[in-house]
Amino acid sequence: MTRILVRGGTVVSATGSQPLDVIIDGDTVAAVLRPGSAVLGADPAASVDTVIEAAGKYVLPGGVDGHTHMQMPFGGTEASDTFETGTRAAAFGGTTTIVDFAVQKPGVRVQDSIAAWHDKAAGNCAIDYGFHQIVGDVNDESLKGMAELVAEGVTSFKLFMAYPGVFYSDDGQILRAMQTSAELGALLMMHAENGIAIDVLVAQALRRGDTAPYYHGTTRPWQLEEEATHRAIMLAQVTGAPLYVVHVSAKQALEQIVQARSKGQNVFGETCPQYLYLSLEEQLGAPGFEGAKWVCSTPLRSRAEGHQDELWRYLRTGGVTTVATDHCPFCMKDQKDMGVGDFSKIPNGIGGVEHRMDLMFQGVVDGRLSLERWVDVCCTTPARMFGMYPRKGVISPGADADIVVYDPNGHTSIGVGKTHHMNMDYSAYEGFEIDGHVDTVLSRGRVIVDGGRYLGRPGDGRFLERGLSQNLL
Ligand code: URP
Ligand code: ZN
Ligand code: ZN
């Protein structure tokens, strides 16, 4: 077994930061020691195969992105990153675990949907991966299937209050799926937007001739996110299901979540870098068809209404539980451009799996969150939320040696032709400058990225059988 010493760095965890050396033995962390510890002997390098020098750098647990859609069929096309390209891009950005969504289409068994996602991912991933299951057809058979999936390590299920005719579930279906989730102890994930009302607003906008990407945002007002979030919380309360609301972008929706949790209900909120940094006015409102790059749901919100600042505040103070990317990339050419002249035909989704750790580190540099909270929301709490802790999300003896050496004095310029490895013909964060840099990434003890070079292979990543959530109240 290969032994590696990561020497001289500051190990950052969700609870503190201190100078520590890390010894890796094969796949896992063997020890975390004070520098100069007698355990390493007079010549520490002599007892290991490789030394990674981390002086002046942060040493963190690999990032855990709990919300991705690799090669997902959606919006009349398919998300442009495969499991191979998307997980490699994730690795470049310091993410060593993803949880992707298997999709159940109406008429297909959930067991067959998960099998199809195993086929897509197996042998192709650069990093470890788990699956959530989208239940697109709530019926007796799929409710029974949920129990089988939990036994196979797929312990969370996503429903949609949006996208009527595609993934949409009505309140009765949601209630039934929540009852099953509650019985199983499984996490119920919700896309909380009132899709029925949104579709009326969309049809009215198109009839008025409001066809530009900007109107994707105005036809999905925050009230319809707040209303759906509130309804989901009430249904979860009736059933006792633990609820995780995905891609929250409206400050009012977060208020609903925070209030419910403060009353003792298991309700959690995820946000994404796009909702912290980007806006309706600046991005969706870009001239011509440019705004299509940022069409996603929930939509980017108005900066004038103060959503972004409030999301940062909730992130700092614990109201937001995790930061994921909702990585769902589409190219402008032949994909987003299907919606020229009709914003409702633009495939919904933004790619960002490569940049989450950097973008959130910039929040640390800007004084918006602490170093420890960065690791907490990007690594440790997602691992706990989705039943992977302490194997993932922490650097401690016995944990998988998924480790990132991060240089706070380095620099990262985001953009196509710069640090872009995702299979997209544009970057949603083009021109962003980050005051930090992912230097070295280890996945289960193997260096897969170093100094901007990819050293891994497709198939390095393995499927993770997850347990039930470890983050419940
Ligand atoms: O616009 C988005 N979010 N696309 C991906 C599918 C989803 O709703 O998460
Ligand atoms: Zn969604
Ligand atoms: Zn999503």
Side-chain angles (χ1 to χ4, degrees), residues 14 27 48 56 68 101 142 159 182 186 295 297 299 328 341 353 363 365 393 449 465:
D27 282 9
V48 297
T68 68
F101 286 85
S142 32
L159 298 185
V295 164
S297 298
C328 190
V353 77
V365 174
V449 171
E465 277 189 33

Side-chain angles (χ1 to χ4, degrees), residues 158 160 191 246-247 297:
K158 183 178 178 190
F160 288 75
H191 180 133
V246 294
H247 49 54
S297 298

Side-chain angles (χ1 to χ4, degrees), residues 320-343:
V320 171
T321 300
T322 59
V323 175
T325 55
D326 190 10
H327 178 73
C328 190
F330 298 103
C331 291
M332 282 295 268
K333 185 170 171 334
D334 296 338
Q335 294 196 299
K336 291 278 187 183
D337 63 9
M338 294 191 298
V340 174
D342 179 350
F343 69 84

Side-chain angles (χ1 to χ4, degrees), residues 15 17 23 30 58 63 79 82 106 110 112 121 132 146 159 169 177 189 199 269 277 300 318 326 338 418 445-446 473:
T15 52
S17 310
I23 302 189
Y58 296 135
T82 61
V110 286
D112 296 335
H132 313 286
M146 285 168 67
L159 298 185
S169 293
M189 307 172 80
D199 275 9
Y277 281 104
L300 303 184
D326 190 10
M338 294 191 298
K418 292 177 179 155
R446 281 161 303 108
L473 301 178

Side-chain angles (χ1 to χ4, degrees), residues 222 225 248-252 254-255 271-284 294 298-316 320 360 363 368-369 429 432:
W222 61 260
E225 186 183 347
V248 179
S249 65
K251 60 182 178 180
Q252 295 85 352
L254 255 177
E255 274 156 24
T271 196
C272 313
Q274 54 268 36
Y275 303 123
L276 294 160
Y277 281 104
L278 310 177
S279 73
L280 171 73
E281 296 93 338
E282 293 144 304
Q283 275 75 31
L284 268 178
W294 299 280
T298 60
L300 303 184
R301 296 288 174 201
S302 160
R303 201 177 288 285
E305 288 173 1
H307 297 279
Q308 293 79 2
D309 283 346
E310 279 296 275
L311 260 55
W312 278 111
R313 185 177 67 76
Y314 277 122
L315 189 61
R316 186 169 66 249
V320 171
M360 298 319 298
R368 289 191 177 265
L369 76 166
Y429 302 96
F432 273 55

